[in-house]
Amino acid sequence: MTSATIPDGTDTHVQAPTRHAELLAWVREVAELTQPDRVVFADGSDEEWDRLTSHLVTAGTFQQLNPDKKPNSFLALSDPTDVARVESRTYICSRNEADAGPTNNWVDPTEMRATLTDLFRGAMKGRTMYVVPFCMGPLGAADPKLGVEITDSEYVVVSMRVMTRMGTAALEKLGTDRPFVKALHSVGAPLAEGQADVPWPCSDTKYITHFPEDREIISYGSGYGGNALLGKKCYSLRIASAMAHDEGWLAEHMLILKLISPENKNYYVAAAFPSACGKTNLAMIEPTIPGWRAETLGDDIAWMRFGDDGRLYAVNPEFGFFGVAPGTNWSSNPNAMKTVEAGNTVYTNVALTDNGDVWWEGLEGDPDHLIDWKGHDWDRESEEKAAHPNSRYCTPMSQCPTLAPEWDDPQGVPISAILFGGRRKTTVPLVTESLDWQHGVFMGATMSSEQTAAAEGKVGSVRRDPMAMIPFLGYHVGDYVNHWINLGKNADAQKLPKIFYVNWFRRGDDGRFLWPGFGENSRVLEWIVNRIEGAAEGESTPVGYVPTAAQINLEGLDVEAADVDESLKVDVEEWKKEIPLIEEWFEFIGDKLPSGVRDEFEALERRMHSH
Ligand code: GTP
Ligand code: SPV
Ligand code: MN
């Protein structure tokens, strides 16, 4: 189907493989503004992958890894200033400032569009402009969630092929008039006539902007992950959360996991932990307790809506994993290792070994010599880390050995439990069951975590991060929490998932983790499932139901009993220190904080005082 031509910056014309009038008009408009040397529609084929990866190798962006170790896989080393999401440069440009809320940067949309138009003028000179049609979630959905990313980065095109259902199939779904999210991206590094390119083009000026009412994204200046792969955080969380608020569903920063009990019963669990706090690891868990098995449905994002039967169903909108490399190894996460070993993987900012393989801190092996993520020689005496703490692998979900067979089902899977969790050295017990939905929403709304390397900022400082969504909300945080409360009010309480709060990261005085984590987290999951079935005991504490060490299955676990006790301890004096922090947080949220959450806070205070 060739029916339209697109002029590029050199006034040659490209045959466009679509008759979608709005798409064609937009592509034309962007090409005229950005002046690329050529316009290419991405089809998602193997031929295209080979062509683009070869191009990236020639350009020096990619190094081909040793095919005996890592078939069809590549290493990219980014510019050292372009290594993580840039929250300070991320904007929600709602029409009214009040709708962006206190947690987001806001600029008037007209003003922001004017700024961006200036930046995008000629921004793709000397480059190719790719038009990348994609679908978030199964292509077979009745109402597929479509998008088109226009980008001048080949790295983005190949990464989008791994992370989304991309290319011809998505373009066919677009038909001639299906609505889609416009996602415009440029690395912001035009090339003058004859100017040589750098391996990782980007700009010091960065804007990651969202226009929630227009369902539109414009990103400038960064080539990295969540800043540039616009189907991920920008679409599937920030724009989708605004859609979900309007349409009565949820777009969440959650993994989706299937647990299979020794009785062969399936339980689906969704869990929200902030960036670099354990979602991928839990999504691919290998249970250590006999009889239990686990399968993976998603490791970062869940879209959830109520089914006709009144249960909450979750779908993973993504098609690949963009996982944290450091700490991933054959014992902590063997399934992630098997997924990447199958090949077809793009690594960013990990280290290169002398035999053309990759290495990062925490991986098995003790290399003498490496090329580090900055491209410098590295040996064991080196002070700097070989891999950046936020280095990542980008790998197809289909290669995951524990992938659940229902992963591509547009229906999704019915969720029995929702877990919230953060990274807290103190105070927060290993696991706490909420009293009911509203109390669970309060737990989610007040959850807190120590800052990680997944975004710019001081690593380790504690911040409130409701439902792990603070960096990803497309609207006002108070309206968001209220949306959660209302969904619970309108649902059948018996069918709602139970809500739990977990903390794998509590530490002893010497800084050691009190709980071994990883596969051993299956012991906590077993307690959670047994609570759902009414088959496990827990103690009633001021913060919720918390098991004693005797109430969870510790058989065969090689840990000091005192550490397990400490990991489960509810220390009311420590919790009292949280009270002013929560008050401060509520003040920050302001008038839109739902009364139900305030009621839960007052009830918590009362329970603590009468304790
Ligand atoms: P994003 O992709 O940024 O959203 O991160 P994520 O939530 O998927 O985090 P991931 O599973 O990649 O884990 C991040 C870091 O936490 C890694 O270094 C892991 O080794 C570590 N981690 C994960 N689970 C556990 C655990 O149970 N205990 C401890 N101590 N560390 C863990
Ligand atoms: C996160 O930071 O939560 C990620 C990585 O999953 S990114 O795609 O950069 O957002
Ligand atoms: Mn994430």
Side-chain angles (χ1 to χ4, degrees), residues 83-85 87 163 224-227 229 232-233 237-238 253 273-276 279-280 299-301 318 322-324 390 392 452-455 468 471-472:
V83 295
R85 286 181 292 101
E87 293 178 9
M163 295 305 297
Y224 193 80
N227 301 327
L229 312 179
K232 193 171 177 57
K233 296 307 172 38
L237 289 178
R238 297 196 191 95
H253 193 200
F273 310 153
S275 302
K279 288 183 301 299
T280 300
D299 81 324
D300 200 51
I301 300 177
E318 299 195 279
F322 187 64
V324 177
N390 191 41
R392 302 248 167 191
T452 67
F472 309 119

Side-chain angles (χ1 to χ4, degrees), residues 483-505:
H483 183 53
W484 268 84
I485 296 272
N486 286 340
L487 287 182
K489 278 190 188 146
N490 298 330
D492 176 346
Q494 295 304 310
K495 293 179 179 167
L496 279 170
K498 276 186 181 278
I499 299 180
F500 298 81
Y501 191 5
V502 300
N503 178 21
W504 315 140
F505 299 94

